[in-house]
Amino acid sequence: MYKAFYGLNDNPFSIAPNPHYMFLSDRHREALAHLTYGLGETGGFVLLTGEVGTGKTTVSRCLLQQIPENTDTAFILNPSLTELELLATLCDELEIKYGENPTLKQLTDLISTYLLTNHKNARNTVLIIDEAQHLRSEVLEQLRLLTNLETNTKKLLQVILIGQPELQQLLKRQDLRQLAQRITARYHLLPLNKDEIGLYVLHRLQVAGRHEPLFTRKAIAALHKHSGGIPRLTNLLCERALMAGYGQAKVPIDHKMVNQAAVEVLGDIDAPSDKRWPFVAATALVLAFGLSFYLFNRSANDDSLNSNTALASNQTQQSVNPPALATIPSATNQSITASTSQLQTSPPVVNAQQQILRQAMLQSSSIDNAFAGLFGLWNKQPIIGLSACQAAQQQDLACYQQQGNWYSIMRLNYPAVVYLQDAQANVFYGVIVERQVEQILLQLGEQQFWVNKDWFDRHFSGTFEILWQPDGVLPREIGQSSSLAQVQWLENSLASVNKRRARLLTQFDGELEQQLMQFQRQHGLKPDGIAGNQTLVQLNLYLSQQGPRLSASSERS
C-alpha cells in the first residue's frame, strides 16, 4: 500500500524469512565462524543460542549455503518429539526407508548403516535442530548415543543445536554432562547495537529498492531503544512506522512515529504508575502553564528577530560582498526590495519583509512543492502519481537523502530540499538554491530569501535530500578481493576528493584502507574499510560533473 509512496519495490520489513533480505552483522558473522569451526574435522555437537528474533535461523540458513556439496543435511524444526519420533524424523529427512511400527533399535541400526555408508563414500552427515530448548533430556541422550559412531578422526554424525538461552541451562543438568562435554563450539548471539540497527534498516530498504535513508538518526535510536536490538521486533516497529508516515504523507520517519509505533506494537510503554500519576499530572500542568505564558510573551517577537537577522545579515558580512538587496519575488515576477540602509532606518519596511517571510514559512508545508522547485533547477519536472525519487529515476536522476548539518550540505555543493522548523516546531520545507559563503538563497514556495547560517542552523531539522546524476553504473562493493581496476578507481576517487595526487597501486593496501575509513568517518558512514553502496554513492556525489551546484567555487566547506 505504501510502496509507491516511499519508492519501494517490495515490503522491506516483512517478518517472513526471505533470503534476499539476509543481513549479517559482525555478530552474525562471528557466530557463523564458530559454527563453521565446530563442523570441522572433529565434528560432534555445536551450540548456537540467542534471544527470540536475534537471527539464529538467519545464521543457520547462511551456514547451510556454505556446507560442502558432499554433505547430507537433516533439518528438524519441531523438536517436541519422543526418542522414537526423533529417530523417525531423522530417517525421513535423510530419506532412509523403514517399515511400519519400527522399534527404537531398528531405527538406530538403519541410521548407523546410513552413516557408515556415507563415510565410505566420503560424504558427511549434519543434523540441525532448531528450537532445541524444547528437547527432552532423554531425547538429547539418544542424540548423544547416535554420535558415538565415529572413526579415529571424526564423528560420523555432526549435530547443530539452535535454541533460546534456556537451552544453555538445560545442558547444565547433571544427567546431560556427557553431552555437554562433546560440544566443540558454542556461541551466544547478542542483539544488534544502535549502529548495527541503522545498517540493518538501511540494508533492507536497499534490497527493497530505496537507496536513501528513510529513518532519521533519532528514529534509529528510538528503534534500538524499543526493540532492544532484536531484528524481528525492529521489523514490526518499522512496518508500523512506515504505515504511520504514509497515512500522514510525511518523509522521513522520525522518532515520534517510532515511539507511537512502539506503543501500538508493544503496548503502553514507559507509562507512569497510578500512584505517581497525580503528581506527574500536576507537575506537567504547572510546567505547561509557565511555558505557555513564556511563549506567549516571546512568540510575537521570536520570528521577527529571526527574520531581521536573516534579512539584515549583509551588515555583518561586508567581506563577503553578498547581494545588496533582500529580494522576495512574487508569483507575477514583481519584487519587493529593501536596501540594507532602509532595513535599519525604516521599521515599517522591515515589518513588511518579516511578514512576507513568516507567511512564506506557513505556506511551505508541502514537500511536493519543494521538490518541484528542486526539479526546476535541474530543468526537469515532477511526475504526477510518482514519488519524487521515482520521478527522478524516470528522468535519469537519483535521489539521495542524508542526515547532517550546514557543512554536510555545503560540502556536497548540490541544491537541496531541506526540512525546516519554525519557533513552534511546525515543519516546513525549502530549497537551497545558491550559496555565498555564510549566506544561502532559500526558496520557499515561489519566493526566495537570502538567509544567513545562524538563521538556517536554528531552523534546520537535520534532514536534506538532493538530486544527482550518476556518471555510470556503480560497482556493488570495492574491497580487498576486488579487481585491480576497481581498486585503482577507488584510489583515484579518494585522491580527487582530498585534492592530492593519486598513487599507482598493485593491490588494496593499508594506506588506501586508512584513506577510505577516514572518508567514511567524515560522512557518518561505518568505517569498515570496505567501499559499499553508501560509500560509493557518497564518492560519486563529489565526482559527478552533471547538474547545478550551490557555488561555482570548487571549495567545499
Side-chain angles (χ1 to χ4, degrees), residues 477-489 508:
E477 181 178 285
I478 300 179
Q480 298 281 353
S481 60
S482 298
S483 67
L484 182 57
Q486 290 183 335
V487 171
Q488 187 63 56
W489 177 90
F508 193 114

Side-chain angles (χ1 to χ4, degrees), residues 32 42 45 48 54 69 94 237 258 269 284 329 365 375 379 419 510:
L32 184 60
T42 57
F45 285 87
L48 174 64
T54 50
E69 292 184 358
L94 297 175
L237 293 173
V258 173
I269 55 177
S365 59
F375 273 109
N379 295 319
Y419 294 55

